[in-house]
């Protein structure tokens, strides 16, 4: 039987203590989560939130944001008219055109 020396024991205890550390939660980016709506309304609101965040962070310029906003407004109109599937397709097409899929 091998005897554990105090130095080896302390190293093991430190390693175990490091495993029990908890990471802090990341800061909120302001993007809405999946609870921000369902169906086409949820798709529209989530993508608007992503685009607003990207504009605020400087990932897209104002002209791209304006173009996307016009396209999403059309999808929002289709959604309000009860054409859910069409609205979701429109959002997905806009995402694909601008590299968000």
């Amino acid at each position: 039987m091998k005897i554990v020396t105090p130095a080896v024991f302390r190293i093991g205890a430190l390693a175990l203590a490091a495993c029990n550390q908890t990471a802090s939660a990341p800061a909120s980016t302001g993007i809405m989560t999946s609870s921000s709506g369902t169906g086409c309304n949820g798709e529209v609101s989530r993508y608007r939130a992503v685009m607003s965040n990207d504009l605020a962070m400087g990932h897209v310029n104002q002209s791209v944001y304006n173009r996307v906003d016009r396209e999403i407004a059309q999808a929002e109109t289709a959604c309000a008219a009860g054409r859910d599937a069409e609205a979701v397709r429109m959002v997905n097409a806009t995402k694909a055109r601008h590299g968000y899929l």
Side-chain angles (χ1 to χ4, degrees), residues 49-72:
V50 167
M51 290 308 299
S52 293
N53 184 64
D54 281 358
L55 178 65
M57 298 296 290
H59 298 303
V60 297
N61 62 32
Q62 188 69 49
S63 65
V64 171
Y65 177 83
N66 291 343
R67 189 176 324 129
V68 170
D69 191 52
R70 282 190 304 270
E71 292 175 18
I72 295 303

PDB file of all heavy atoms in Angstrom, residues 49-72:
ATOM      1  N   ALA A  49     -34.784  41.301 -33.609  1.00  0.00           N
ATOM      2  CA  ALA A  49     -33.904  41.486 -32.448  1.00  0.00           C
ATOM      3  C   ALA A  49     -32.451  41.211 -32.814  1.00  0.00           C
ATOM      4  O   ALA A  49     -31.550  41.944 -32.400  1.00  0.00           O
ATOM      5  CB  ALA A  49     -34.351  40.574 -31.310  1.00  0.00           C
ATOM      6  N   VAL A  50     -32.219  40.177 -33.592  1.00  0.00           N
ATOM      7  CA  VAL A  50     -30.860  39.855 -34.024  1.00  0.00           C
ATOM      8  C   VAL A  50     -30.293  40.999 -34.860  1.00  0.00           C
ATOM      9  O   VAL A  50     -29.156  41.440 -34.660  1.00  0.00           O
ATOM     10  CB  VAL A  50     -30.832  38.532 -34.821  1.00  0.00           C
ATOM     11  CG1 VAL A  50     -29.505  38.338 -35.542  1.00  0.00           C
ATOM     12  CG2 VAL A  50     -31.103  37.351 -33.905  1.00  0.00           C
ATOM     13  N   MET A  51     -31.087  41.486 -35.795  1.00  0.00           N
ATOM     14  CA  MET A  51     -30.617  42.576 -36.658  1.00  0.00           C
ATOM     15  C   MET A  51     -30.382  43.862 -35.869  1.00  0.00           C
ATOM     16  O   MET A  51     -29.399  44.574 -36.116  1.00  0.00           O
ATOM     17  CB  MET A  51     -31.607  42.815 -37.803  1.00  0.00           C
ATOM     18  CG  MET A  51     -31.628  41.706 -38.831  1.00  0.00           C
ATOM     19  SD  MET A  51     -30.007  41.263 -39.509  1.00  0.00           S
ATOM     20  CE  MET A  51     -29.506  42.793 -40.271  1.00  0.00           C
ATOM     21  N   SER A  52     -31.251  44.161 -34.917  1.00  0.00           N
ATOM     22  CA  SER A  52     -31.052  45.352 -34.085  1.00  0.00           C
ATOM     23  C   SER A  52     -29.761  45.237 -33.283  1.00  0.00           C
ATOM     24  O   SER A  52     -29.003  46.203 -33.166  1.00  0.00           O
ATOM     25  CB  SER A  52     -32.236  45.542 -33.132  1.00  0.00           C
ATOM     26  OG  SER A  52     -33.396  45.847 -33.861  1.00  0.00           O
ATOM     27  N   ASN A  53     -29.517  44.048 -32.755  1.00  0.00           N
ATOM     28  CA  ASN A  53     -28.285  43.820 -32.006  1.00  0.00           C
ATOM     29  C   ASN A  53     -27.062  43.955 -32.920  1.00  0.00           C
ATOM     30  O   ASN A  53     -26.072  44.586 -32.553  1.00  0.00           O
ATOM     31  CB  ASN A  53     -28.306  42.436 -31.364  1.00  0.00           C
ATOM     32  CG  ASN A  53     -27.094  42.202 -30.508  1.00  0.00           C
ATOM     33  OD1 ASN A  53     -26.892  42.872 -29.518  1.00  0.00           O
ATOM     34  ND2 ASN A  53     -26.268  41.250 -30.921  1.00  0.00           N
ATOM     35  N   ASP A  54     -27.135  43.370 -34.117  1.00  0.00           N
ATOM     36  CA  ASP A  54     -26.007  43.457 -35.045  1.00  0.00           C
ATOM     37  C   ASP A  54     -25.743  44.893 -35.473  1.00  0.00           C
ATOM     38  O   ASP A  54     -24.590  45.293 -35.638  1.00  0.00           O
ATOM     39  CB  ASP A  54     -26.238  42.568 -36.255  1.00  0.00           C
ATOM     40  CG  ASP A  54     -25.944  41.106 -35.954  1.00  0.00           C
ATOM     41  OD1 ASP A  54     -25.531  40.798 -34.817  1.00  0.00           O
ATOM     42  OD2 ASP A  54     -26.133  40.277 -36.862  1.00  0.00           O
ATOM     43  N   LEU A  55     -26.789  45.675 -35.643  1.00  0.00           N
ATOM     44  CA  LEU A  55     -26.610  47.089 -35.969  1.00  0.00           C
ATOM     45  C   LEU A  55     -25.941  47.816 -34.807  1.00  0.00           C
ATOM     46  O   LEU A  55     -24.981  48.567 -34.998  1.00  0.00           O
ATOM     47  CB  LEU A  55     -27.956  47.741 -36.305  1.00  0.00           C
ATOM     48  CG  LEU A  55     -27.911  49.236 -36.621  1.00  0.00           C
ATOM     49  CD1 LEU A  55     -27.120  49.495 -37.896  1.00  0.00           C
ATOM     50  CD2 LEU A  55     -29.326  49.798 -36.732  1.00  0.00           C
ATOM     51  N   ALA A  56     -26.431  47.576 -33.608  1.00  0.00           N
ATOM     52  CA  ALA A  56     -25.871  48.238 -32.429  1.00  0.00           C
ATOM     53  C   ALA A  56     -24.402  47.855 -32.194  1.00  0.00           C
ATOM     54  O   ALA A  56     -23.605  48.681 -31.752  1.00  0.00           O
ATOM     55  CB  ALA A  56     -26.697  47.896 -31.189  1.00  0.00           C
ATOM     56  N   MET A  57     -24.054  46.624 -32.529  1.00  0.00           N
ATOM     57  CA  MET A  57     -22.685  46.154 -32.324  1.00  0.00           C
ATOM     58  C   MET A  57     -21.762  46.514 -33.491  1.00  0.00           C
ATOM     59  O   MET A  57     -20.564  46.270 -33.430  1.00  0.00           O
ATOM     60  CB  MET A  57     -22.676  44.631 -32.134  1.00  0.00           C
ATOM     61  CG  MET A  57     -23.452  44.155 -30.920  1.00  0.00           C
ATOM     62  SD  MET A  57     -22.751  44.733 -29.375  1.00  0.00           S
ATOM     63  CE  MET A  57     -21.261  43.794 -29.321  1.00  0.00           C
ATOM     64  N   GLY A  58     -22.331  47.051 -34.563  1.00  0.00           N
ATOM     65  CA  GLY A  58     -21.529  47.431 -35.708  1.00  0.00           C
ATOM     66  C   GLY A  58     -21.249  46.291 -36.674  1.00  0.00           C
ATOM     67  O   GLY A  58     -20.377  46.397 -37.532  1.00  0.00           O
ATOM     68  N   HIS A  59     -21.988  45.195 -36.566  1.00  0.00           N
ATOM     69  CA  HIS A  59     -21.782  44.053 -37.456  1.00  0.00           C
ATOM     70  C   HIS A  59     -22.438  44.258 -38.819  1.00  0.00           C
ATOM     71  O   HIS A  59     -22.058  43.596 -39.784  1.00  0.00           O
ATOM     72  CB  HIS A  59     -22.309  42.766 -36.816  1.00  0.00           C
ATOM     73  CG  HIS A  59     -21.614  42.414 -35.549  1.00  0.00           C
ATOM     74  ND1 HIS A  59     -20.247  42.230 -35.458  1.00  0.00           N
ATOM     75  CD2 HIS A  59     -22.089  42.224 -34.294  1.00  0.00           C
ATOM     76  CE1 HIS A  59     -19.916  41.935 -34.214  1.00  0.00           C
ATOM     77  NE2 HIS A  59     -21.015  41.926 -33.486  1.00  0.00           N
ATOM     78  N   VAL A  60     -23.427  45.121 -38.905  1.00  0.00           N
ATOM     79  CA  VAL A  60     -24.038  45.496 -40.181  1.00  0.00           C
ATOM     80  C   VAL A  60     -24.137  47.017 -40.216  1.00  0.00           C
ATOM     81  O   VAL A  60     -24.229  47.667 -39.181  1.00  0.00           O
ATOM     82  CB  VAL A  60     -25.451  44.881 -40.388  1.00  0.00           C
ATOM     83  CG1 VAL A  60     -25.397  43.375 -40.443  1.00  0.00           C
ATOM     84  CG2 VAL A  60     -26.426  45.335 -39.335  1.00  0.00           C
ATOM     85  N   ASN A  61     -24.111  47.557 -41.431  1.00  0.00           N
ATOM     86  CA  ASN A  61     -24.258  49.015 -41.521  1.00  0.00           C
ATOM     87  C   ASN A  61     -25.729  49.375 -41.679  1.00  0.00           C
ATOM     88  O   ASN A  61     -26.575  48.508 -41.883  1.00  0.00           O
ATOM     89  CB  ASN A  61     -23.378  49.603 -42.635  1.00  0.00           C
ATOM     90  CG  ASN A  61     -23.745  49.092 -43.999  1.00  0.00           C
ATOM     91  OD1 ASN A  61     -24.908  48.792 -44.272  1.00  0.00           O
ATOM     92  ND2 ASN A  61     -22.757  48.993 -44.881  1.00  0.00           N
ATOM     93  N   GLN A  62     -26.018  50.648 -41.594  1.00  0.00           N
ATOM     94  CA  GLN A  62     -27.403  51.127 -41.586  1.00  0.00           C
ATOM     95  C   GLN A  62     -28.137  50.768 -42.869  1.00  0.00           C
ATOM     96  O   GLN A  62     -29.313  50.416 -42.837  1.00  0.00           O
ATOM     97  CB  GLN A  62     -27.438  52.637 -41.351  1.00  0.00           C
ATOM     98  CG  GLN A  62     -28.833  53.180 -41.134  1.00  0.00           C
ATOM     99  CD  GLN A  62     -29.448  52.730 -39.817  1.00  0.00           C
ATOM    100  OE1 GLN A  62     -28.823  52.827 -38.778  1.00  0.00           O
ATOM    101  NE2 GLN A  62     -30.670  52.229 -39.860  1.00  0.00           N
ATOM    102  N   SER A  63     -27.461  50.822 -44.023  1.00  0.00           N
ATOM    103  CA  SER A  63     -28.153  50.540 -45.288  1.00  0.00           C
ATOM    104  C   SER A  63     -28.579  49.064 -45.365  1.00  0.00           C
ATOM    105  O   SER A  63     -29.675  48.767 -45.854  1.00  0.00           O
ATOM    106  CB  SER A  63     -27.284  50.910 -46.486  1.00  0.00           C
ATOM    107  OG  SER A  63     -26.129  50.103 -46.542  1.00  0.00           O
ATOM    108  N   VAL A  64     -27.752  48.161 -44.881  1.00  0.00           N
ATOM    109  CA  VAL A  64     -28.124  46.739 -44.856  1.00  0.00           C
ATOM    110  C   VAL A  64     -29.271  46.536 -43.878  1.00  0.00           C
ATOM    111  O   VAL A  64     -30.246  45.843 -44.183  1.00  0.00           O
ATOM    112  CB  VAL A  64     -26.913  45.851 -44.491  1.00  0.00           C
ATOM    113  CG1 VAL A  64     -27.346  44.414 -44.258  1.00  0.00           C
ATOM    114  CG2 VAL A  64     -25.845  45.929 -45.558  1.00  0.00           C
ATOM    115  N   TYR A  65     -29.173  47.150 -42.717  1.00  0.00           N
ATOM    116  CA  TYR A  65     -30.244  47.048 -41.728  1.00  0.00           C
ATOM    117  C   TYR A  65     -31.578  47.538 -42.311  1.00  0.00           C
ATOM    118  O   TYR A  65     -32.603  46.887 -42.146  1.00  0.00           O
ATOM    119  CB  TYR A  65     -29.892  47.845 -40.472  1.00  0.00           C
ATOM    120  CG  TYR A  65     -30.999  47.836 -39.457  1.00  0.00           C
ATOM    121  CD1 TYR A  65     -31.141  46.777 -38.582  1.00  0.00           C
ATOM    122  CD2 TYR A  65     -31.925  48.886 -39.403  1.00  0.00           C
ATOM    123  CE1 TYR A  65     -32.180  46.754 -37.659  1.00  0.00           C
ATOM    124  CE2 TYR A  65     -32.957  48.869 -38.487  1.00  0.00           C
ATOM    125  CZ  TYR A  65     -33.083  47.807 -37.614  1.00  0.00           C
ATOM    126  OH  TYR A  65     -34.108  47.772 -36.713  1.00  0.00           O
ATOM    127  N   ASN A  66     -31.539  48.676 -43.019  1.00  0.00           N
ATOM    128  CA  ASN A  66     -32.769  49.231 -43.610  1.00  0.00           C
ATOM    129  C   ASN A  66     -33.364  48.276 -44.642  1.00  0.00           C
ATOM    130  O   ASN A  66     -34.580  48.094 -44.695  1.00  0.00           O
ATOM    131  CB  ASN A  66     -32.495  50.591 -44.248  1.00  0.00           C
ATOM    132  CG  ASN A  66     -32.181  51.650 -43.216  1.00  0.00           C
ATOM    133  OD1 ASN A  66     -32.450  51.501 -42.029  1.00  0.00           O
ATOM    134  ND2 ASN A  66     -31.570  52.734 -43.668  1.00  0.00           N
ATOM    135  N   ARG A  67     -32.514  47.667 -45.458  1.00  0.00           N
ATOM    136  CA  ARG A  67     -32.984  46.717 -46.464  1.00  0.00           C
ATOM    137  C   ARG A  67     -33.642  45.512 -45.794  1.00  0.00           C
ATOM    138  O   ARG A  67     -34.738  45.084 -46.173  1.00  0.00           O
ATOM    139  CB  ARG A  67     -31.814  46.270 -47.340  1.00  0.00           C
ATOM    140  CG  ARG A  67     -32.231  45.452 -48.540  1.00  0.00           C
ATOM    141  CD  ARG A  67     -31.053  45.108 -49.452  1.00  0.00           C
ATOM    142  NE  ARG A  67     -30.062  46.170 -49.546  1.00  0.00           N
ATOM    143  CZ  ARG A  67     -28.752  45.976 -49.345  1.00  0.00           C
ATOM    144  NH1 ARG A  67     -28.284  44.782 -49.055  1.00  0.00           N
ATOM    145  NH2 ARG A  67     -27.918  46.993 -49.448  1.00  0.00           N
ATOM    146  N   VAL A  68     -32.983  44.966 -44.784  1.00  0.00           N
ATOM    147  CA  VAL A  68     -33.534  43.820 -44.054  1.00  0.00           C
ATOM    148  C   VAL A  68     -34.835  44.212 -43.371  1.00  0.00           C
ATOM    149  O   VAL A  68     -35.816  43.460 -43.394  1.00  0.00           O
ATOM    150  CB  VAL A  68     -32.511  43.276 -43.039  1.00  0.00           C
ATOM    151  CG1 VAL A  68     -33.146  42.263 -42.102  1.00  0.00           C
ATOM    152  CG2 VAL A  68     -31.326  42.656 -43.760  1.00  0.00           C
ATOM    153  N   ASP A  69     -34.872  45.395 -42.796  1.00  0.00           N
ATOM    154  CA  ASP A  69     -36.073  45.857 -42.103  1.00  0.00           C
ATOM    155  C   ASP A  69     -37.263  45.944 -43.061  1.00  0.00           C
ATOM    156  O   ASP A  69     -38.381  45.555 -42.697  1.00  0.00           O
ATOM    157  CB  ASP A  69     -35.804  47.213 -41.442  1.00  0.00           C
ATOM    158  CG  ASP A  69     -36.918  47.622 -40.499  1.00  0.00           C
ATOM    159  OD1 ASP A  69     -37.272  46.815 -39.617  1.00  0.00           O
ATOM    160  OD2 ASP A  69     -37.441  48.747 -40.665  1.00  0.00           O
ATOM    161  N   ARG A  70     -37.028  46.420 -44.280  1.00  0.00           N
ATOM    162  CA  ARG A  70     -38.116  46.479 -45.273  1.00  0.00           C
ATOM    163  C   ARG A  70     -38.609  45.070 -45.624  1.00  0.00           C
ATOM    164  O   ARG A  70     -39.811  44.834 -45.733  1.00  0.00           O
ATOM    165  CB  ARG A  70     -37.646  47.199 -46.536  1.00  0.00           C
ATOM    166  CG  ARG A  70     -37.607  48.706 -46.414  1.00  0.00           C
ATOM    167  CD  ARG A  70     -37.379  49.393 -47.754  1.00  0.00           C
ATOM    168  NE  ARG A  70     -36.162  48.939 -48.434  1.00  0.00           N
ATOM    169  CZ  ARG A  70     -34.957  49.496 -48.277  1.00  0.00           C
ATOM    170  NH1 ARG A  70     -34.810  50.514 -47.456  1.00  0.00           N
ATOM    171  NH2 ARG A  70     -33.921  49.041 -48.937  1.00  0.00           N
ATOM    172  N   GLU A  71     -37.668  44.148 -45.795  1.00  0.00           N
ATOM    173  CA  GLU A  71     -38.045  42.772 -46.131  1.00  0.00           C
ATOM    174  C   GLU A  71     -38.823  42.123 -44.988  1.00  0.00           C
ATOM    175  O   GLU A  71     -39.820  41.427 -45.215  1.00  0.00           O
ATOM    176  CB  GLU A  71     -36.806  41.947 -46.470  1.00  0.00           C
ATOM    177  CG  GLU A  71     -36.136  42.392 -47.759  1.00  0.00           C
ATOM    178  CD  GLU A  71     -34.843  41.654 -48.039  1.00  0.00           C
ATOM    179  OE1 GLU A  71     -34.608  40.570 -47.452  1.00  0.00           O
ATOM    180  OE2 GLU A  71     -34.054  42.148 -48.869  1.00  0.00           O
ATOM    181  N   ILE A  72     -38.387  42.362 -43.767  1.00  0.00           N
ATOM    182  CA  ILE A  72     -39.062  41.783 -42.602  1.00  0.00           C
ATOM    183  C   ILE A  72     -40.439  42.418 -42.410  1.00  0.00           C
ATOM    184  O   ILE A  72     -41.385  41.767 -41.980  1.00  0.00           O
ATOM    185  CB  ILE A  72     -38.186  41.927 -41.338  1.00  0.00           C
ATOM    186  CG1 ILE A  72     -36.919  41.090 -41.494  1.00  0.00           C
ATOM    187  CG2 ILE A  72     -38.925  41.507 -40.085  1.00  0.00           C
ATOM    188  CD1 ILE A  72     -37.162  39.625 -41.762  1.00  0.00           C
TER     189      ILE A  72
END
